[in-house]
């Protein structure tokens, strides 16, 4: 049975403050020409400024929103207003059959039709790529040895082109993953105090990858998959969806969006309530293409997830949605920072190339100094240094904590903690919205 959505939990779904305020204005019965619901959906027609009403639908199975209003926000004010009205006046939703005119066909991912594969040509292409990657990694090893032989101080005086040229050669060698690692390293020599240690750590990860690739066949299949993925090989998602997965109530705890060369990457972090297993669902969009909007932080899904092959599985795909979404009603995860660091060490022992480690802390107190959140501290006095918060997000975190311990979810990169969401006073709030 689904949990009851509170007004606070629904408002927390709004993409920004103005949408939340406008939605509350729309949560009035007289503004809606028709209202209905069943086990799968809520729908209604809202009278706007034009002659035709706006048709709004909420898919309760995956908590997806659809409205034919001109707003580009998801969910829009009409969807949040409809949800608020449903939570407050459920008896007003008298229709039980979704009208044809309001069936908005919320899109869901469908597997592509399988194509006939030329296995001989495929094997030939695979061998050609392997040869190119091998040559590229050998060239990288010589470049890396030369850099370290000269001393890290030399890296401080190198322009960005020094790193970008080496990365470009790896792209030509079809090792795009390693190229991305080099481009990320380029900024470290100019990152301030402690740059030498950070640079050496990241160069060490690159060299470990080179060494692992040279002995690829000697490792277990899961470790081979990690090495190949880090270099730039992809796993077949169609084949992955045919394997058995993990069914759980998956709490959607955080979301982060990055953009590079017009490619937007959406990181969705989930946490299995029973399995206590973290999961990462990655979505991509190029240019003006829309990103997936069905995974909303602060909600949960009853679903079966399949994980990409890895010694420490994180990335996953949703194979099957089962029951309607519920709001997150607690912060799972670690009871202390010490326990989190122990889990992080074990994860690195299995996959040393983990870049972002999902961290759900049940009760920590933000530490503020000079108007910034510098760290989070647990009851034992252990602290994690924080990074990446804007001034507006910092003030939001201060208001939510109020000097008390709160649940916080975020990403740990081995050096800094990036808070993404907060659970306080039985309400889940994402810091990414402000």
């Amino acid at each position: 049975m689904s949990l009851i959505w509170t007004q606070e939990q629904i408002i927390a779904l709004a993409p920004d403050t103005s949408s939340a305020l406008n939605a509350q204005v729309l949560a009035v019965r007289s503004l809606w020409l028709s209202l209905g619901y069943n086990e799968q959906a809520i729908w209604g027609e809202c009278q706007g400024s034009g002659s035709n009403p706006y048709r709004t639908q909420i898919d309760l199975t995956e908590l997806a929103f659809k409205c034919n209003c001109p707003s580009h926000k998801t969910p829009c004010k009409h969807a949040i207003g409809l949800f608020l009205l449903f939570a407050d006046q459920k008896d007003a939703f008298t229709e039980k059959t979704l009208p044809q005119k309001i069936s908005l066909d919320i899109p869901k991912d469908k597997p592509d039709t399988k194509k006939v594969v030329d296995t001989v040509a495929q094997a030939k292409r695979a061998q050609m790529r392997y040869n190119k990657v091998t040559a590229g990694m050998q060239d990288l090893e010589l470049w890396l040895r030369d850099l370290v032989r000269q001393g890290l101080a030399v890296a401080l005086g190198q322009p960005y082109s020094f790193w970008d040229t080496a990365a470009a050669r790896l792209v030509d060698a079809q090792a795009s993953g390693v190229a991305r690692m080099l481009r990320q390293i380029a900024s470290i020599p100019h990152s301030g105090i402690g740059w030498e240690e950070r640079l050496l750590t990241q160069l060490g990860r690159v060299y470990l990858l080179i060494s692992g690739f040279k002995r690829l066949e000697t490792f277990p299949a899961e470790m081979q998959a990690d090495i190949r993925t880090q270099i730039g090989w992809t796993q077949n998602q169609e084949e992955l969806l045919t394997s058995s997965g993990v069914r759980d109530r998956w709490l959607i705890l955080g979301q982060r969006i990055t953009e590079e060369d017009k490619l937007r990457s959406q990181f969705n972090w989930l946490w299995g309530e029973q399995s206590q297993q973290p999961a990462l669902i990655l979505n991509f969009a190029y240019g003006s293409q829309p990103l997936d909007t069905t995974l909303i932080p602060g909600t949960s899904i009853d679903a079966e997830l399949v994980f990409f092959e890895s010694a420490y599985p994180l990335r996953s795909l949703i194979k099957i949605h089962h029951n309607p979404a519920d709001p997150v009603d607690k912060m799972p995860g670690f009871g202390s920072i010490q326990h989190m660091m122990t889990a992080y060490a074990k994860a690195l022992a299995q996959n040393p190339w983990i870049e972002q480690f999902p961290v759900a802390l049940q009760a920590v107190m933000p530490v503020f100094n000079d108007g910034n959140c510098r760290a989070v501290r647990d009851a034992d006095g252990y602290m994690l240094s924080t990074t990446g918060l804007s001034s507006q997000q910092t003030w939001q975190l201060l208001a939510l904590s109020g000097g008390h311990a709160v649940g916080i979810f975020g990403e740990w990169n081995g050096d800094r903690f990036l808070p993404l969401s907060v659970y306080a006073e039985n309400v889940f709030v994402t810091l990414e919205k402000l």
Side-chain angles (χ1 to χ4, degrees), residues 150-166:
Q150 295 179 66
L152 295 183
V154 173
L156 188 61
Q158 296 292 350
Y160 178 78
S161 59
F162 171 76
W163 305 91
D164 190 54
T165 300

Side-chain angles (χ1 to χ4, degrees), residues 271-306:
W271 197 286
E273 186 175 53
Q274 299 299 322
S275 63
Q276 291 296 294
Q277 182 174 359
L280 170 64
I281 296 179
L282 277 174
N283 294 316
F284 303 96
Y286 185 78
S288 60
Q289 291 178 335
L291 282 165
D292 185 281
T293 59
T294 61
L295 296 176
I296 302 175
T299 68
S300 65
I301 54 173
D302 177 6
E304 180 182 350
L305 267 60
V306 288

Side-chain angles (χ1 to χ4, degrees), residues 120-252:
V120 175
Q122 186 181 58
K124 184 178 180 180
R125 289 194 299 269
Q127 185 60 49
M128 289 176 63
R129 180 178 183 183
Y130 184 84
N131 294 339
K132 292 185 69 173
V133 171
T134 299
M137 296 295 276
Q138 290 173 346
D139 180 61
L140 175 63
E141 183 176 9
L142 294 175
W143 180 88
L144 192 58
R145 286 180 177 273
D146 186 56
L147 173 63
V148 175
R149 188 180 300 112
Q150 295 179 66
L152 295 183
V154 173
L156 188 61
Q158 296 292 350
Y160 178 78
S161 59
F162 171 76
W163 305 91
D164 190 54
T165 300
R169 290 200 297 268
L170 287 165
V171 172
D172 292 339
Q174 295 186 275
S176 58
V178 197
R180 181 181 57 83
M181 293 175 71
L182 285 189
R183 290 190 171 114
Q184 290 176 338
I185 290 173
S187 62
I188 294 179
H190 307 284
S191 60
I193 296 174
W195 69 269
E196 301 94 340
E197 181 179 350
R198 290 191 291 273
L199 178 61
L200 189 60
T201 298
Q202 296 306 313
L203 291 178
R205 292 176 70 245
V206 174
Y207 190 76
L208 183 64
L209 186 61
I210 295 171
S211 300
F213 181 68
K214 290 165 66 175
R215 301 188 296 121
L216 185 65
E217 301 300 327
T218 67
F219 294 111
E222 294 83 2
M223 179 61 77
Q224 289 187 38
D226 284 325
I227 293 172
R228 292 174 67 88
T229 298
Q230 196 66 37
I231 289 173
W233 271 282
T234 58
Q235 297 185 33
N236 189 306
Q237 296 190 16
E238 289 186 5
E239 293 182 3
L240 189 63
L241 288 170
T242 63
S243 59
S244 59
V246 179
R247 181 177 178 180
D248 205 336
R249 181 192 177 209
W250 294 97
L251 313 180
I252 306 171

Side-chain angles (χ1 to χ4, degrees), residues 28-66:
V28 178
R29 174 66 185 91
S30 60
L31 295 178
W32 295 84
L33 304 179
S34 65
L35 294 167
Y37 84 98
N38 55 31
E39 292 183 357
Q40 287 76 40
I42 305 169
W43 62 88
E45 291 182 294
C46 181
Q47 184 60 61
S49 57
S51 57
N52 297 320
Y54 296 129
R55 298 190 295 273
T56 308
Q57 181 183 346
I58 303 173
D59 187 331
L60 295 174
T61 304
E62 302 182 14
L63 201 63
F65 301 89
K66 191 75 174 180

Side-chain angles (χ1 to χ4, degrees), residues 78-147:
H78 302 98
I80 295 296
L82 179 66
F83 210 171
L84 287 170
L85 184 59
F86 180 75
D88 185 52
Q89 301 180 42
K90 186 176 180 180
D91 293 341
F93 290 70
T94 55
E95 297 182 8
K96 300 300 180 183
T97 302
L98 185 67
Q100 181 64 36
K101 63 180 179 180
I102 207 165
S103 180
L104 301 175
D105 297 326
I106 296 177
K108 299 178 178 62
D109 293 333
K110 297 180 180 179
D112 295 333
T113 304
K114 291 186 177 180
K115 300 177 180 179
V116 178
V117 178
D118 186 336
T119 56
V120 175
Q122 186 181 58
K124 184 178 180 180
R125 289 194 299 269
Q127 185 60 49
M128 289 176 63
R129 180 178 183 183
Y130 184 84
N131 294 339
K132 292 185 69 173
V133 171
T134 299
M137 296 295 276
Q138 290 173 346
D139 180 61
L140 175 63
E141 183 176 9
L142 294 175
W143 180 88
L144 192 58
R145 286 180 177 273
D146 186 56
L147 173 63

